[in-house]
mmCIF file of all heavy atoms in Angstrom:
data_model
loop_
_atom_site.group_PDB
_atom_site.id
_atom_site.type_symbol
_atom_site.label_atom_id
_atom_site.label_comp_id
_atom_site.label_asym_id
_atom_site.label_seq_id
_atom_site.Cartn_x
_atom_site.Cartn_y
_atom_site.Cartn_z
ATOM 1 N N VAL A 1444 96.395 76.050 84.770
ATOM 2 C CA VAL A 1444 96.338 74.791 84.027
ATOM 3 C C VAL A 1444 97.746 74.233 83.851
ATOM 4 O O VAL A 1444 98.643 74.946 83.426
ATOM 5 C CB VAL A 1444 95.670 74.955 82.643
ATOM 6 C CG1 VAL A 1444 95.526 73.601 81.950
ATOM 7 C CG2 VAL A 1444 94.313 75.626 82.775
ATOM 8 N N ASN A 1445 97.917 72.942 84.177
ATOM 9 C CA ASN A 1445 99.213 72.289 84.042
ATOM 10 C C ASN A 1445 99.014 70.990 83.258
ATOM 11 O O ASN A 1445 98.471 70.032 83.838
ATOM 12 C CB ASN A 1445 99.796 72.015 85.422
ATOM 13 C CG ASN A 1445 101.254 71.559 85.299
ATOM 14 O OD1 ASN A 1445 101.785 71.367 84.196
ATOM 15 N ND2 ASN A 1445 101.843 71.299 86.443
ATOM 16 N N PRO A 1446 99.450 70.923 82.001
ATOM 17 C CA PRO A 1446 99.375 69.675 81.301
ATOM 18 C C PRO A 1446 100.408 68.716 81.930
ATOM 19 O O PRO A 1446 101.579 69.038 82.023
ATOM 20 C CB PRO A 1446 99.826 70.017 79.844
ATOM 21 C CG PRO A 1446 99.592 71.519 79.743
ATOM 22 C CD PRO A 1446 99.890 72.042 81.107
ATOM 23 N N VAL A 1447 99.982 67.509 82.314
ATOM 24 C CA VAL A 1447 100.849 66.664 83.107
ATOM 25 C C VAL A 1447 101.223 65.373 82.399
ATOM 26 O O VAL A 1447 102.016 64.592 82.891
ATOM 27 C CB VAL A 1447 100.166 66.274 84.457
ATOM 28 C CG1 VAL A 1447 100.017 67.528 85.320
ATOM 29 C CG2 VAL A 1447 98.830 65.629 84.230
ATOM 30 N N ALA A 1448 100.685 65.111 81.210
ATOM 31 C CA ALA A 1448 101.049 63.918 80.492
ATOM 32 C C ALA A 1448 100.781 64.134 78.978
ATOM 33 O O ALA A 1448 99.844 64.845 78.634
ATOM 34 C CB ALA A 1448 100.244 62.697 80.965
ATOM 35 N N ASP A 1449 101.626 63.530 78.155
ATOM 36 C CA ASP A 1449 101.443 63.541 76.693
ATOM 37 C C ASP A 1449 101.396 64.995 76.142
ATOM 38 O O ASP A 1449 100.670 65.255 75.204
ATOM 39 C CB ASP A 1449 100.179 62.813 76.302
ATOM 40 C CG ASP A 1449 100.146 61.384 76.816
ATOM 41 O OD1 ASP A 1449 101.223 60.794 76.902
ATOM 42 O OD2 ASP A 1449 99.040 60.946 77.208
ATOM 43 N N SER A 1450 102.203 65.858 76.736
ATOM 44 C CA SER A 1450 102.137 67.232 76.273
ATOM 45 C C SER A 1450 103.472 67.934 76.562
ATOM 46 O O SER A 1450 104.106 67.666 77.583
ATOM 47 C CB SER A 1450 101.026 68.023 76.959
ATOM 48 O OG SER A 1450 101.067 69.398 76.582
ATOM 49 N N THR A 1451 103.865 68.788 75.700
ATOM 50 C CA THR A 1451 105.057 69.635 75.948
ATOM 51 C C THR A 1451 104.677 71.104 76.227
ATOM 52 O O THR A 1451 105.517 71.966 76.355
ATOM 53 C CB THR A 1451 105.994 69.645 74.687
ATOM 54 O OG1 THR A 1451 105.229 70.070 73.559
ATOM 55 C CG2 THR A 1451 106.468 68.206 74.432
ATOM 56 N N SER A 1452 103.369 71.352 76.367
ATOM 57 C CA SER A 1452 102.892 72.703 76.646
ATOM 58 C C SER A 1452 103.274 73.089 78.065
ATOM 59 O O SER A 1452 103.189 72.257 78.948
ATOM 60 C CB SER A 1452 101.390 72.817 76.453
ATOM 61 O OG SER A 1452 101.033 72.466 75.122
ATOM 62 N N PRO A 1453 103.553 74.367 78.314
ATOM 63 C CA PRO A 1453 103.899 74.800 79.681
ATOM 64 C C PRO A 1453 102.613 74.996 80.545
ATOM 65 O O PRO A 1453 101.526 75.177 80.001
ATOM 66 C CB PRO A 1453 104.604 76.143 79.459
ATOM 67 C CG PRO A 1453 103.959 76.664 78.184
ATOM 68 C CD PRO A 1453 103.693 75.454 77.332
ATOM 69 N N ALA A 1454 102.812 75.012 81.844
ATOM 70 C CA ALA A 1454 101.748 75.410 82.715
ATOM 71 C C ALA A 1454 101.451 76.890 82.530
ATOM 72 O O ALA A 1454 102.363 77.650 82.153
ATOM 73 C CB ALA A 1454 102.147 75.128 84.167
ATOM 74 N N GLN A 1455 100.218 77.301 82.743
ATOM 75 C CA GLN A 1455 99.913 78.687 82.565
ATOM 76 C C GLN A 1455 98.716 79.105 83.460
ATOM 77 O O GLN A 1455 97.974 78.269 83.949
ATOM 78 C CB GLN A 1455 99.546 79.011 81.108
ATOM 79 C CG GLN A 1455 98.236 78.388 80.633
ATOM 80 C CD GLN A 1455 97.891 78.825 79.201
ATOM 81 O OE1 GLN A 1455 98.737 79.196 78.398
ATOM 82 N NE2 GLN A 1455 96.605 78.787 78.916
ATOM 83 N N THR A 1456 98.637 80.413 83.737
ATOM 84 C CA THR A 1456 97.488 80.984 84.411
ATOM 85 C C THR A 1456 96.780 81.864 83.407
ATOM 86 O O THR A 1456 97.365 82.374 82.461
ATOM 87 C CB THR A 1456 97.909 81.795 85.637
ATOM 88 O OG1 THR A 1456 98.735 82.902 85.216
ATOM 89 C CG2 THR A 1456 98.639 80.936 86.649
ATOM 90 N N ASP A 1457 95.487 82.123 83.666
ATOM 91 C CA ASP A 1457 94.674 82.878 82.734
ATOM 92 C C ASP A 1457 93.498 83.544 83.462
ATOM 93 O O ASP A 1457 92.758 82.905 84.210
ATOM 94 C CB ASP A 1457 94.100 81.935 81.649
ATOM 95 C CG ASP A 1457 93.471 82.686 80.474
ATOM 96 O OD1 ASP A 1457 93.627 83.933 80.431
ATOM 97 O OD2 ASP A 1457 92.783 82.044 79.690
ATOM 98 N N ALA A 1458 93.461 84.891 83.304
ATOM 99 C CA ALA A 1458 92.229 85.603 83.668
ATOM 100 C C ALA A 1458 91.255 85.392 82.561
ATOM 101 O O ALA A 1458 91.147 86.220 81.665
ATOM 102 C CB ALA A 1458 92.558 87.101 83.899
ATOM 103 N N LEU A 1459 90.611 84.258 82.581
ATOM 104 C CA LEU A 1459 89.872 83.735 81.413
ATOM 105 C C LEU A 1459 88.701 84.642 81.023
ATOM 106 O O LEU A 1459 88.588 85.038 79.813
ATOM 107 C CB LEU A 1459 89.360 82.340 81.725
ATOM 108 C CG LEU A 1459 88.579 81.641 80.600
ATOM 109 C CD1 LEU A 1459 89.420 81.542 79.350
ATOM 110 C CD2 LEU A 1459 88.104 80.248 81.076
ATOM 111 N N ARG A 1460 87.857 85.004 81.949
ATOM 112 C CA ARG A 1460 86.682 85.799 81.584
ATOM 113 C C ARG A 1460 86.355 86.818 82.658
ATOM 114 O O ARG A 1460 86.443 86.460 83.883
ATOM 115 C CB ARG A 1460 85.433 84.922 81.329
ATOM 116 C CG ARG A 1460 85.558 83.982 80.149
ATOM 117 C CD ARG A 1460 84.267 83.236 79.921
ATOM 118 N NE ARG A 1460 84.424 82.341 78.756
ATOM 119 C CZ ARG A 1460 84.831 81.094 78.799
ATOM 120 N NH1 ARG A 1460 85.217 80.562 79.985
ATOM 121 N NH2 ARG A 1460 84.947 80.369 77.721
ATOM 122 N N PHE A 1461 85.917 87.950 82.276
ATOM 123 C CA PHE A 1461 85.248 88.920 83.168
ATOM 124 C C PHE A 1461 84.062 89.469 82.433
ATOM 125 O O PHE A 1461 84.209 89.989 81.321
ATOM 126 C CB PHE A 1461 86.171 90.023 83.655
ATOM 127 C CG PHE A 1461 85.453 90.981 84.582
ATOM 128 C CD1 PHE A 1461 85.278 90.648 85.893
ATOM 129 C CD2 PHE A 1461 84.979 92.176 84.080
ATOM 130 C CE1 PHE A 1461 84.598 91.503 86.723
ATOM 131 C CE2 PHE A 1461 84.304 93.044 84.946
ATOM 132 C CZ PHE A 1461 84.117 92.711 86.267
ATOM 133 N N ILE A 1462 82.873 89.273 83.017
ATOM 134 C CA ILE A 1462 81.621 89.587 82.368
ATOM 135 C C ILE A 1462 80.861 90.637 83.107
ATOM 136 O O ILE A 1462 80.803 90.615 84.383
ATOM 137 C CB ILE A 1462 80.766 88.322 82.263
ATOM 138 C CG1 ILE A 1462 81.488 87.197 81.549
ATOM 139 C CG2 ILE A 1462 79.432 88.596 81.588
ATOM 140 C CD1 ILE A 1462 81.840 87.466 80.099
ATOM 141 N N THR A 1463 80.206 91.546 82.388
ATOM 142 C CA THR A 1463 79.236 92.470 82.970
ATOM 143 C C THR A 1463 77.918 92.295 82.276
ATOM 144 O O THR A 1463 77.810 92.318 81.056
ATOM 145 C CB THR A 1463 79.708 93.923 82.807
ATOM 146 O OG1 THR A 1463 80.973 94.120 83.476
ATOM 147 C CG2 THR A 1463 78.695 94.881 83.403
ATOM 148 N N TYR A 1464 76.883 92.069 83.148
ATOM 149 C CA TYR A 1464 75.486 92.042 82.633
ATOM 150 C C TYR A 1464 74.881 93.458 82.838
ATOM 151 O O TYR A 1464 74.957 93.984 83.943
ATOM 152 C CB TYR A 1464 74.656 91.043 83.369
ATOM 153 C CG TYR A 1464 74.965 89.606 83.170
ATOM 154 C CD1 TYR A 1464 75.330 88.794 84.272
ATOM 155 C CD2 TYR A 1464 74.924 89.032 81.913
ATOM 156 C CE1 TYR A 1464 75.626 87.437 84.084
ATOM 157 C CE2 TYR A 1464 75.222 87.696 81.705
ATOM 158 C CZ TYR A 1464 75.542 86.912 82.820
ATOM 159 O OH TYR A 1464 75.867 85.586 82.639
ATOM 160 N N LEU A 1465 74.337 94.060 81.831
ATOM 161 C CA LEU A 1465 73.628 95.257 81.915
ATOM 162 C C LEU A 1465 72.195 95.012 81.439
ATOM 163 O O LEU A 1465 71.966 94.566 80.299
ATOM 164 C CB LEU A 1465 74.273 96.356 81.077
ATOM 165 C CG LEU A 1465 75.649 96.820 81.530
ATOM 166 C CD1 LEU A 1465 76.210 97.866 80.538
ATOM 167 C CD2 LEU A 1465 75.599 97.394 82.912
ATOM 168 N N GLY A 1466 71.189 95.330 82.290
ATOM 169 C CA GLY A 1466 69.841 95.221 81.936
ATOM 170 C C GLY A 1466 69.079 96.517 82.192
ATOM 171 O O GLY A 1466 69.541 97.342 82.978
ATOM 172 N N TYR A 1467 67.970 96.628 81.501
ATOM 173 C CA TYR A 1467 67.142 97.826 81.725
ATOM 174 C C TYR A 1467 65.675 97.438 81.618
ATOM 175 O O TYR A 1467 65.241 96.864 80.634
ATOM 176 C CB TYR A 1467 67.473 98.938 80.748
ATOM 177 C CG TYR A 1467 66.930 100.261 81.202
ATOM 178 C CD1 TYR A 1467 67.722 101.084 82.038
ATOM 179 C CD2 TYR A 1467 65.657 100.698 80.865
ATOM 180 C CE1 TYR A 1467 67.233 102.315 82.479
ATOM 181 C CE2 TYR A 1467 65.165 101.914 81.313
ATOM 182 C CZ TYR A 1467 65.955 102.723 82.102
ATOM 183 O OH TYR A 1467 65.472 103.894 82.608
ATOM 184 N N LYS A 1468 64.934 97.754 82.666
ATOM 185 C CA LYS A 1468 63.528 97.463 82.738
ATOM 186 C C LYS A 1468 62.724 98.737 82.364
ATOM 187 O O LYS A 1468 62.599 99.652 83.150
ATOM 188 C CB LYS A 1468 63.141 97.001 84.125
ATOM 189 C CG LYS A 1468 61.763 96.307 84.220
ATOM 190 C CD LYS A 1468 61.640 95.646 85.621
ATOM 191 C CE LYS A 1468 60.411 94.754 85.658
ATOM 192 N NZ LYS A 1468 60.331 94.055 86.922
#
Side-chain angles (χ1 to χ4, degrees):
V1444 183
N1445 188 359
V1447 295
D1449 306 324
S1450 175
T1451 58
S1452 300
Q1455 67 176 26
T1456 62
D1457 189 11
L1459 181 57
R1460 294 183 179 91
F1461 180 77
I1462 303 297
T1463 299
Y1464 292 121
L1465 294 177
Y1467 197 88
K1468 195 170 190 176

